[in-house]
Amino acid sequence: MKTVKEIRNEYFDNNEKLSKESLEILKAYLEDADSKELSAAISFVTDARLIDLVPLVAKHLEHENDFIREIVIGSLLGRLKIAEYAEKGLKVATEDPYSNVRGLAAMSLGAVINKVDVKLRNLMASYLYEVMISSNYDNLHKQSAYDSILEALEIPITEWPAKKLNPDISKLINLELVKNFKDKYHL
């Protein structure tokens, strides 16, 4: 059976087209929660923007492996910017037991916040603002929320601060931009 790497090569070597066989193999990888190729399959679907396969990716939002949940939420919200998963993204950001998953979900909310209904937008904005002002969140989580705020404000990524493993959040954030976010979302 072909690997995801071989399927990826076929796709890009053939003007972004897959054979029926390769498409079926890719679907099989996405349907198998225990597949060693699952994370590669999710990444490929995201990179290639194979939107028809997104439901197969989304079913792994509840995967037992935190790494899989992390790449799924980052793919659906952060990279593909699919607003229909925004509510789930907010739930993941606030409730997932693993900080890496919560952090990437928080970082991805800004990619879809302006595409959702007002009620959900307000919940997302309130959560992101709360992260910034509360002492209940560590600096890494605050950095993720701040990235979301910057994306929501449509600040060009070239103007974002560099990512840091141990950020000094007081030096990282621009309080004026956080205030602009607060004003924009009526917080």
Side-chain angles (χ1 to χ4, degrees), residues 23 45 90 114 121:
L23 185 59
V45 167
L90 180 59
N114 296 318
R121 183 179 314 132

Side-chain angles (χ1 to χ4, degrees), residues 103-123:
L104 192 56
M107 186 174 4
S108 300
L109 293 176
V112 295
I113 194 171
N114 296 318
K115 297 179 174 185
V116 299
D117 65 71
V118 173
K119 183 180 177 187
L120 182 54
R121 183 179 314 132
N122 290 340
L123 290 171

